[in-house]
């Protein structure tokens, strides 16, 4: 798998592919060389549920390179939608029908229209100012770009010791199983070309969705790279993340989709054995045949 970690403190502005038109005759001082600059359109997908205290800050930081913002609202009971529209009247609001972060992202991806899709959280933990950094590598040959808190230039001001340990264990397992030198696994700052939407798995519903996106991109042969990202503390409110519960779901996701090599065979055999043990045995019930009662025989002497 082609996964490369890169750092780039400075970079050109995103997009700007130059198309040179055929040379035309010079008339009245008009330049003979005409250049038309075009760039892919960018959709930013933000899943949110009761983030009225945070969404305004996030939307105010979105850079001009983003053409469309899709807010997926998960049945918020606060003023999330009203606040978002007051900051960005052009925002598109999608009402989530299912539950879970994975379901929200799926709804947002399908509703977006940009050539490039970027996903971030609504709690202020991810800086929208980093978006051009992701787009730069998408415009220079990569198909799928993910943020990393644990490579040079990245970091986290929010992660606990337990979360860091769990992420490192899961990340090393993923790197071993899928032969990809990852430095971060459970981080949801991701960007990819829309043309690969059919190749990323959107079937998971919970917080393990980031892991499933990465694994499906690797299995589909997408050219992937990591870029440094700084995770900030959630600005207001309490996170819905549950370390043990969601970590277990990530582990199941890693094992469920690993099928390559000897280890893949062993994992799938173990899963099949465990499934067989959990399936209750069905006891055969003998068929009952109804026999008509024989007419009674009169006793002798009756």
């Amino acid at each position: 798998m082609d996964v490369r970690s890169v750092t780039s403190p400075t970079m050109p502005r995103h997009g700007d592919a130059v198309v040179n038109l055929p040379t035309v005759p010079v008339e009245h001082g008009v330049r003979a060389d005409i250049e038309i600059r075009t760039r892919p359109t960018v959709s930013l997908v933000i899943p949110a549920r009761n983030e009225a205290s945070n969404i305004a800050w996030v939307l105010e930081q979105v850079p001009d390179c983003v053409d469309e913002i899709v807010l997926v609202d998960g049945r918020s009971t606060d003023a999330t939608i009203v606040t978002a529209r007051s900051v960005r009247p052009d925002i598109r609001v999608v009402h989530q029908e299912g539950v879970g972060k994975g379901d929200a992202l799926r709804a947002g991806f399908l509703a977006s229209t940009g050539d490039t899709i970027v996903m971030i959280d609504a709690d202020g933990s991810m800086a929208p100012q980093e978006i051009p950094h992701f787009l730069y590598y998408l415009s220079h040959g990569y198909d799928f770009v993910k943020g990393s808190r644990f490579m040079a230039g990245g970091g986290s001001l929010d992660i606990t010791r337990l979360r860091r340990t769990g992420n490192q264990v899961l990340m090393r397992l993923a790197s071993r199983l899928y032969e990809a030198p990852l430095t971060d696994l459970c981080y949801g700052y991701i960007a990819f070309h829309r043309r690969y939407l059919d190749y990323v798995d959107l079937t998971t519903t919970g917080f393990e969705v980031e892991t499933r996106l990465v694994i499906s991109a690797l299995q589909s042969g997408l050219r992937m790279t990591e870029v440094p990202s700084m995770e900030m503390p959630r600005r207001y409110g309490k996170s819905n993340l549950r370390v043990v519960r969601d970590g277990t779901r990530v582990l199941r996701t890693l094992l469920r989709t690993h099928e390559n090599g000897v280890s893949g065979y062993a994992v799938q055999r173990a899963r099949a054995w465990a499934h067989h043990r959990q399936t209750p045995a069905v006891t055969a019930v003998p068929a009952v045949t109804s026999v008509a009662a024989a007419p009674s025989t009169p006793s002798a002497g009756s």
Side-chain angles (χ1 to χ4, degrees), residues 52-75:
S53 299
N54 300 314
I55 194 64
W57 181 89
V58 174
L59 295 177
E60 288 169 352
Q61 312 302 316
V62 175
D64 294 338
C65 60
V66 173
D67 302 285
E68 175 187 56
I69 303 177
V70 179
L71 177 71
V72 185
D73 181 66
R75 299 186 181 92

Side-chain angles (χ1 to χ4, degrees), residues 7-12 133 136-137:
T7 57
S8 177
T10 60
M11 69 206 71
H133 197 45
Y136 172 76
Y137 291 99

Side-chain angles (χ1 to χ4, degrees), residues 43 108-117 192-198:
S43 292
F109 292 168
L110 296 177
S112 64
T113 61
D115 302 312
T116 300
I117 298 174
F192 59 93
H193 293 295
R194 182 182 184 83
R195 60 178 175 265
Y196 298 117
L197 188 56
D198 292 338

